Amino acid sequence: MKPNLENLKEYTKNVSLSSGEKFDMFENIRNYSNNNPVRSRYSVFMKHSIAYASMFALLIGTSATSYAAERSLPGDILYPVKTNINEEVAKTLSVTKKQKAKTNVKLVEKRMSELTEMVVKEKDSPEKIDIIVQKLEEHREELEDYIEDIEENNTENSDDATEIYAELESVVESHLDILEEIKEDEETESALNIALTALATTSRATSTAQVTTTTDVTIQINTEGNKASTTNNTSTATDTDNVITGEEDAVNEITNFSSKIGPLLDSVKAKTQQNIATTTKIKDEVRKKIIEDTERKLQIDLDEEVNSDIEL
Amino acid sequence: MNQREIFEQAYIDLADSIFRYIYFRVFDRDIAKDLTQETFYKVWDYLAKGKDIENIKAFTYRTAHNIIVNHIRGIKPSISIDELDETIGFEIADTSQEDSKQQAQDIASILDSFKILKDADAEIMKLRYIDDLSIQEIAEITSSTENSISVKIHRLLEKLRTYHKES
């Protein structure tokens, strides 16, 4: 047959490699693939992809959780996240002793805010307040350590220590107002008493560089006949009221402080009772109004019904 | 199926076709062999990057085409009748020497007629009438549609027929 375009393939299909040629070439390409193994840029990654994925999820989850935890209060599920994780991170990010001390002052403020919020939202309870008090004690202890370090190392820069005291004092005093809201609870009062007084002590007890770190302070406060006392280190408690071994300034401050608390607590009690009365009054009024409105509405509906009947 | 298996299976399936494909563009058996090998090396290079190949047949043809283009670099190889006779006549048993020479000549003239077409069009005709690929396969290799390939081939046939009649 004569070759033409249509039958061209009948001729050309015979062009091929001989078996020998084909086999040789196969060996060549096999060697080539052996010498150049698969180096997928993904394969290593994919092996660990589960690890990466879970790390990523953990990171996202963690940051979301820690963000949500910021607004939590004692008793909430996320509160431990706030205190043990978020706050620990903040502490770690504080490098110098001064920064660390300041962080602790901020934490004290946080505790005070939490307390305020709890009371305002009526979420407080002796147990929860206890949590706050414990934390306050922690912060106080750390503050003491840092301030000691600062004063040991910076005899020239006693400014740093003073700065911190000043901050602490202002934090504590500005939150004294919340005491006005505290409900009647003897245990709570005394626990809080102790914590706040201790803080006041920290801010004043070692105000000058000359005082050694082993200064002990004993405080006793009389509140409505309850004796509450706090001791530092190795000092011993005595029965006499207001025995203090320390600077005169400290004595004055503490006296001031405790004298502030007493009458405050009294007025709190009175106000609370007043508040309760006011609240009851308001509740009654509102209830009455609601009843009136409802009756009026019912009457309107009734009238309408009657009228529609007439129309029919 | 891993990359290695895909690759070796592709070779077994396509080695001859690719060889043939290359031969009818370079018209030299040895060169065709070399370039065939090179084609498969290149295919492996791609697979070794961990990439997947959807249509390995089309991919391999395209790779071969690129290698040919690089090799020729614009110089169209001349078709030697003797060479053609030798290569094509390799398998044909019941053809006399004279006949096969004549056949080779005829084939050479057919292939030569592709010169009136644009390179891309000639390529399509070759894929259809030498490599015996389906319209779909041609469309895949040339990144075109079945429809446009169909229409093109029809048009090009007309063109070639006209050329043959005139010559």
Side-chain angles (χ1 to χ4, degrees), chain A residues 14 90 105 144 161 180 194 215:
Chain A
N14 299 316
V105 173
E144 268 192 1
E180 295 201 27
I194 294 166
T215 302

Side-chain angles (χ1 to χ4, degrees), chain A residues 1-14:
Chain A
M1 66 184 154
K2 185 172 161 69
N4 55 39
L5 196 59
E6 270 77 19
N7 63 26
L8 189 58
K9 58 181 178 249
E10 300 304 318
Y11 294 92
T12 59
K13 73 184 179 192
N14 299 316

Side-chain angles (χ1 to χ4, degrees), chain A residues 117-312:
Chain A
E117 208 180 323
M118 280 197 321
V119 170
V120 164
K121 291 182 179 173
E122 295 188 339
K123 276 184 184 177
D124 62 316
S125 68
E127 296 86 24
K128 291 181 186 174
I129 295 203
D130 209 44
I131 295 174
I132 300 248
V133 167
Q134 274 176 27
K135 272 283 162 190
L136 280 172
E137 181 58 27
E138 248 182 63
H139 300 323
R140 191 195 64 77
E141 274 179 21
E142 283 186 17
L143 265 169
E144 268 192 1
D145 288 340
Y146 293 134
I147 292 173
E148 272 177 31
D149 283 343
I150 290 171
E151 285 175 340
E152 267 174 35
N153 296 329
N154 302 1
T155 40
E156 294 161 4
N157 282 3
S158 57
D159 282 353
D160 283 350
T162 316
E163 215 182 300
I164 294 164
Y165 298 138
E167 269 187 44
L168 181 60
E169 204 184 325
S170 74
V171 163
V172 170
E173 291 199 2
S174 67
H175 282 85
L176 273 177
D177 295 344
I178 65 120
L179 287 177
E180 295 201 27
E181 304 295 325
I182 291 179
K183 300 226 176 75
E184 198 177 75
D185 187 314
E186 284 178 3
E187 273 179 46
T188 309
E189 282 170 15
S190 56
L192 210 49
N193 242 353
I194 294 166
L196 294 173
T197 315
L199 277 168
T201 314
T202 311
S203 77
R204 275 295 164 190
T206 54
S207 55
T208 59
Q210 280 89 33
V211 181
T212 64
T213 56
T214 53
T215 302
D216 301 325
V217 179
T218 311
I219 305 153
Q220 286 185 338
I221 296 166
N222 277 333
T223 320
E224 301 199 90
N226 292 337
K227 274 207 179 133
S229 67
T230 174
T231 56
N232 292 346
N233 302 332
T234 57
S235 68
T236 50
T238 66
D239 281 332
T240 36
D241 295 342
N242 294 334
V243 172
I244 295 158
T245 56
E247 300 280 330
E248 234 184 59
D249 280 344
V251 175
N252 288 338
E253 275 306 307
I254 290 157
T255 324
N256 283 341
F257 196 85
S258 58
S259 61
K260 274 186 209 163
I261 291 178
L264 266 175
L265 290 173
D266 282 339
S267 67
V268 166
K269 248 202 204 158
K271 267 201 183 159
T272 316
Q273 281 166 347
Q274 219 180 25
N275 285 342
I276 291 170
T278 323
T279 318
T280 322
K281 189 164 168 240
I282 293 172
K283 278 188 188 165
D284 281 342
E285 280 179 13
V286 171
R287 204 179 299 127
K288 234 167 75 178
K289 193 160 187 299
I290 291 174
I291 292 172
E292 280 173 15
D293 281 345
T294 317
E295 279 179 359
R296 203 178 328 127
K297 207 167 169 283
L298 279 169
Q299 190 60 42
I300 293 171
D301 288 345
L302 202 61
D303 287 340
E304 277 182 7
E305 241 186 78
V306 169
N307 288 338
S308 62
D309 279 346
I310 292 173
E311 278 173 24
L312 285 171

Side-chain angles (χ1 to χ4, degrees), chain A residues 21-34:
Chain A
E21 284 169 334
K22 202 165 174 183
F23 183 77
D24 286 342
M25 198 182 288
F26 184 79
E27 280 205 325
N28 289 343
I29 63 137
R30 191 171 245 187
N31 284 339
Y32 187 79
S33 62
N34 281 336

Side-chain angles (χ1 to χ4, degrees), chain A residues 16 22 28 30 32 36, chain B residues 8 11 29 37 44-45 48:
Chain A
S16 58
K22 202 165 174 183
N28 289 343
R30 191 171 245 187
Y32 187 79
N36 300 290
Chain B
E8 292 184 355
Y11 175 82
R29 217 167 176 284
Q37 192 161 274
W44 174 252
D45 286 344

Side-chain angles (χ1 to χ4, degrees), chain B residues 49-161:
Chain B
K49 286 182 194 168
K51 299 186 185 177
D52 279 325
I53 301 176
E54 225 180 271
N55 183 342
I56 200 153
K57 187 168 180 178
F59 182 81
T60 312
Y61 270 94
R62 264 187 255 126
T63 310
H65 181 259
N66 290 336
I67 285 177
I68 290 166
V69 166
N70 278 339
H71 174 81
I72 289 181
R73 287 199 204 144
I75 305 166
K76 283 207 174 100
S78 55
I79 303 168
S80 147
I81 310 290
D82 287 331
E83 157 84 33
L84 203 59
D85 182 22
E86 205 180 299
T87 308
I88 294 176
F90 197 76
E91 299 284 336
I92 296 173
D94 50 26
T95 327
S96 70
Q97 230 184 19
E98 251 183 40
D99 285 341
S100 78
K101 190 99 184 262
Q102 181 59 47
Q103 282 172 352
Q105 202 142 9
D106 293 335
I107 290 166
S109 99
I110 294 169
L111 295 171
D112 189 55
S113 69
F114 287 154
K115 69 177 182 243
I116 65 163
L117 305 173
K118 282 184 273 190
D119 283 349
D121 291 344
E123 180 65 20
I124 292 171
M125 294 307 275
K126 286 182 183 182
L127 285 170
R128 182 75 177 140
Y129 293 104
I130 296 175
D131 302 293
D132 194 25
L133 295 174
S134 71
I135 304 286
Q136 189 193 25
E137 285 167 334
I138 297 171
E140 275 163 6
I141 291 168
T142 59
S143 306
S144 185
T145 64
E146 282 186 44
N147 199 47
S148 60
I149 297 294
S150 220
V151 166
K152 233 184 200 151
I153 289 177
H154 193 82
R155 196 168 43 80
L156 295 170
L157 273 173
E158 278 303 311
K159 207 171 178 183
L160 286 167
R161 274 189 201 123

